[in-house]
Amino acid sequence: EQRQGYVTCVAATPQIAVYGTATGYVRLVSALDRVMVGELLHPDGGIANVFPNAHGTRVVCVDDENVVFLYDARDERVLDVPQHENNSSTSRGGETNQNQVVLWDAFDPDVFLVANGVTFSVYLYTPITIDGASVQCVGTHDISQTGSKPVSLINGVVYWQAPSGSIDFATLVTHDPVNSKDDFFVNGAGVTERFHCALKLGKLQPAWEVAVRAREPEMWEQLAHAAMSSLEIEFAIRVYRIVGDASMVLSLERLRNVEDVHELAANVLMLFEKPECYDMAERLFIKSNKPNEALQMRVDLKHWDAAAALARKYDAKKLDEIKREHASACETRGDVEMALTLFEESLTAADQSRGGINNAKAGVARCSFRLGDVETGLRIVGQLNDKNTYGECAFLCEQFGDANDAAALFEKAGLFENAVSIYLDAKQYDLAKPLLARIPTGSGSSSCRALRVSYANAMEFSGNFEEAANEYELARVWEHAVRIRLTLLKPCDTEKAFAICRQSRSQEAASVAAGYCRQVGDVDRAVEFLLLARKSDDAFALAGESGPSAMDKLCRLVSNDATATAREYRKLATYFETSLSWRKAGDAHAQCGNNEHAVQCYLKETSDDSVGAAIALVGSLRDDGLTSVVVEFLSSATGASLSVGDPSNKNNTSSQHTAWLFKLYVALGDYDAASTTSALLARQEQEMGNYKVAHAALFESSRELLRDGKTETRLAIGVQKQLNLLHSYVLVKSFVRQQDHEGCARLLHRIAKNITKFPAHVVPILTSTVVECTRGGMKRTAVHFAQKLMAPTLRAEIGDAYKRKVETIARKPDPNAEDTTEPVSACPFCDTTGGAYDLTCNTCQADVPMCVASGRRVVAEEWANCPSCAFPCNKAAFVKTVDAEEG
């Protein structure tokens, strides 16, 4: 205890008690366990006073010479508190002032002030920065009344006791711009002062808010620097994203998971890209036990001497690699002699990899060539036998004028184009030819084509026309390949030349071939190649001079040519109009975009195919003007194309007209109108008694509306009911074959109730209804329709085979006659039970789909779809009907 000295000062927090001794000891004792948790020996004298923060982990101490320092017990760190120039009374060796008081900010744990009775000196303690922990003086606040003693500090607001005993308070000048709500500091001219005060206090978020409002680039730069200096990586990323510096954002994102503070600080210092920062970064890398990172940094910066020093000290195995990289850098900047020396030195290192030795030898070879020592260079390159080195040295030989050695090296490197170029310049065609064959024929580079053209020119000049033609073809110079095969080769290779024209589609080559064909009188091929050469005027003129066969050939060629121009199609359309081939004229007009003329030509030829083409074109264009032209044509009952004079054809013409209207509406996407038109078409056939035709027309049009992406279209209610009636009529014969008299009677009952829709066969249908209802147990219904047949207008038309039977049923009805009970089934929508043949639900009023196999309601449990037409059906009934029909 005598050695440690007596206690001179004591301070306590709820967790920690702190005391100082006369011999310079500062001790921290746990108030709960009563054990010492921290100890510091101050070597420069005794401790006069201690001021811990709220947790007792940081203590500001004042020694007996009024020197102030900070002790951070968590990191065992001691930092001098810098003395402000206005606080000279506290300097070492000056007049002592035992009344110094230190207050920690209750709101900001990193801020404290030192009061000496005259001024308040405000300090910021930053435990983590790129320079390590620091204590910086933020500023001073003059006390209006000398001798005032501070009591508390809360978020920059200091409370003190004046000499008179009163308690006064004020916002420190270091905090006032940041804490103030005055518009001068928020939006006015004081925003810059507010920003700088926030940075001094380490308040990055308030500084961010100021920078967002101010939008000044200088502020963002200073804020980013402050965030990086304090190693606030996430905050710095936010700033650089606002600035738009993507490279810095990516660099910082790679540092997110670095935990070691020294390593993180070293990486941040490298990002500052300042010479003085690199030395500090090297020290920090070494301090974080990452010397290889420091070594790599020096290599990347090309600080070769520093890198070599680090390698000798920490990783001698990398010294030879550094020498090779240094040598490569010297070679790049032209210091070849130094590069050669370094490459040779790197070869002397022990325990090198084979790759490292080869790289050094390659460097020696290159430097030897650069210095004119070709013999040494060739010898070393031969030892390496490496294609990349062959290529590098070949370029050097070519650069220094040694063409022969360069060509040989290019050949060994596999750079045949370069070797061929040298041989062609030297007119050594015999050496160039085998190398040209080794160049891939699919190589499309301009240099390769130029080499082949140069060689072909030489062969043509020397009279080797076959070789020249082949090389021109490989070089894709089609016109010369065709020219030589047609004019210079003996005999001419016309088939090969014409094949080249057709495959390459070269206009120049086709022009050469057309000239040859005209010269020899081959008109058909001359027309073909004139079109291919895009000389359509000459082609039409030649075909017109030569007669109809040549013109027909021209028309076929233009029609089948996917690359034909609009001008050519217009000429073709004019020719077809002259020859009254309206359909072909319409196609030609459509190809060149002359749609109005195309529609007019189509409608002049009234065949189904031609009118269908007009409808398809109008449907694809959706042009109101063209649509009205087609509608007017189809609606004209007296048009020459529809009126045929013979009254017997009137109904057929009307049906055809309606079918075309249906196709037009489908093409235009007007499915409601198409549905109505299909119903009209079916009604016309139905009124003429063509029930199967009407059924087939309505059935096919319904399928057209419900397929190909139009499944969301619903048929109009009337159209669906009309289709159901017609389909019921078709099903009757199937039920008769199956001897299903009740089902037949139910379907005929449905038809008979709508007998007005079958005006051509009223009596036969009603007669069949009476007969089948009698057989199927529906006697009351049979009586009803038998009595209906007794009408004077209908009675005479009853067939002799059934006339007596019908009259008997009508005149002598059974008073007890009743119909058998109709089967029931549930509605698939509301599950309410109803008649199996009733296609309207009495509860939900929904139209229940009809089974295409039985004519009954479709039930949910049996619901399926016909695999052929996709219409709904009951599975069991469908299978039964299919089996019966196939049997």
Side-chain angles (χ1 to χ4, degrees), residues 452-687:
R452 291 190 182 278
V453 170
S454 179
Y455 180 73
N457 288 334
M459 293 299 101
E460 182 180 359
F461 182 76
S462 63
N464 191 349
F465 300 123
E466 183 69 31
E467 183 75 15
N470 290 333
E471 287 301 325
Y472 278 131
E473 188 175 348
L474 290 174
R476 300 178 182 274
V477 185
W478 311 114
E479 62 272 21
H480 291 318
V482 171
R483 174 182 57 81
I484 290 177
R485 293 187 184 279
L486 292 179
T487 61
L488 297 180
L489 275 180
K490 302 300 180 184
C492 298
D493 190 355
T494 56
E495 294 303 321
K496 179 67 173 178
F498 294 157
I500 290 174
C501 293
R502 295 186 182 105
Q503 292 174 4
S504 67
R505 314 291 295 180
S506 169
Q507 295 183 20
E508 294 79 6
S511 182
V512 173
Y516 172 82
C517 291
R518 295 185 74 168
Q519 185 178 355
V520 299
D522 189 346
V523 177
D524 287 348
R525 284 178 172 169
V527 169
E528 175 187 356
F529 293 124
L530 283 173
L531 280 178
L532 194 57
R534 288 293 172 260
K535 296 181 178 180
S536 56
D537 291 339
D538 294 341
F540 276 93
L542 178 60
E545 295 172 358
S546 303
S549 61
M551 184 58 87
D552 289 342
K553 172 75 172 180
L554 173 64
C555 294
R556 288 194 301 272
L557 290 171
V558 174
S559 300
N560 297 328
D561 187 1
T563 62
T565 64
R567 188 167 179 269
E568 293 169 351
Y569 277 114
R570 283 195 293 270
K571 287 179 175 289
L572 198 60
T574 302
Y575 170 75
F576 283 133
E577 287 183 17
T578 305
S579 60
L580 302 182
S581 298
W582 301 114
R583 170 60 198 270
K584 294 181 179 179
D587 290 340
H589 279 305
Q591 288 289 344
C592 65
N594 196 355
N595 300 312
E596 183 177 357
H597 282 75
V599 171
Q600 291 174 355
C601 290
Y602 284 139
L603 296 181
K604 286 181 180 180
E605 182 176 326
T606 57
S607 65
D608 288 350
D609 186 46
S610 183
V611 176
I615 290 173
L617 178 60
V618 170
S620 63
L621 296 174
R622 305 293 177 92
D623 183 273
D624 293 340
L626 295 179
T627 302
S628 64
V629 170
V630 176
V631 171
E632 182 179 355
F633 168 80
L634 296 178
S635 301
S636 176
T638 60
S641 60
L642 293 178
S643 296
V644 292
D646 186 357
S648 63
N649 291 329
K650 182 178 179 180
N651 290 329
N652 291 335
T653 301
S654 178
S655 298
Q656 183 63 53
H657 155 233
T658 307
W660 281 340
L661 274 178
F662 170 77
K663 293 179 180 179
L664 175 62
Y665 288 132
V666 171
L668 292 173
D670 190 352
Y671 303 124
D672 292 335
S675 177
T676 304
T677 305
S678 66
L680 176 61
L681 175 62
R683 189 176 300 114
Q684 291 173 349
E685 297 291 347
Q686 193 171 342
E687 289 174 353

Side-chain angles (χ1 to χ4, degrees), residues 177-178 182-199 206-207 209-216 219:
V178 180
D182 193 335
D183 191 71
F184 175 78
F185 290 112
V186 176
N187 298 309
V191 293
T192 302
E193 184 181 355
R194 184 186 185 96
F195 176 78
H196 290 298
C197 287
L199 286 186
E209 294 169 0
V210 174
V212 167
R213 288 193 296 271
R215 297 183 179 275
E216 294 183 5
M219 284 189 178

Side-chain angles (χ1 to χ4, degrees), residues 331 334-344 363-377 396-397 399-400:
E331 183 183 3
D335 192 354
V336 182
E337 293 181 355
M338 175 61 74
L340 178 61
T341 301
L342 290 170
F343 277 128
E344 290 175 343
V364 172
R366 290 194 305 271
C367 292
S368 297
F369 279 113
R370 292 180 187 276
L371 294 173
D373 190 357
V374 177
E375 182 180 354
T376 301
L396 291 174
C397 285
Q399 179 181 350
F400 292 110

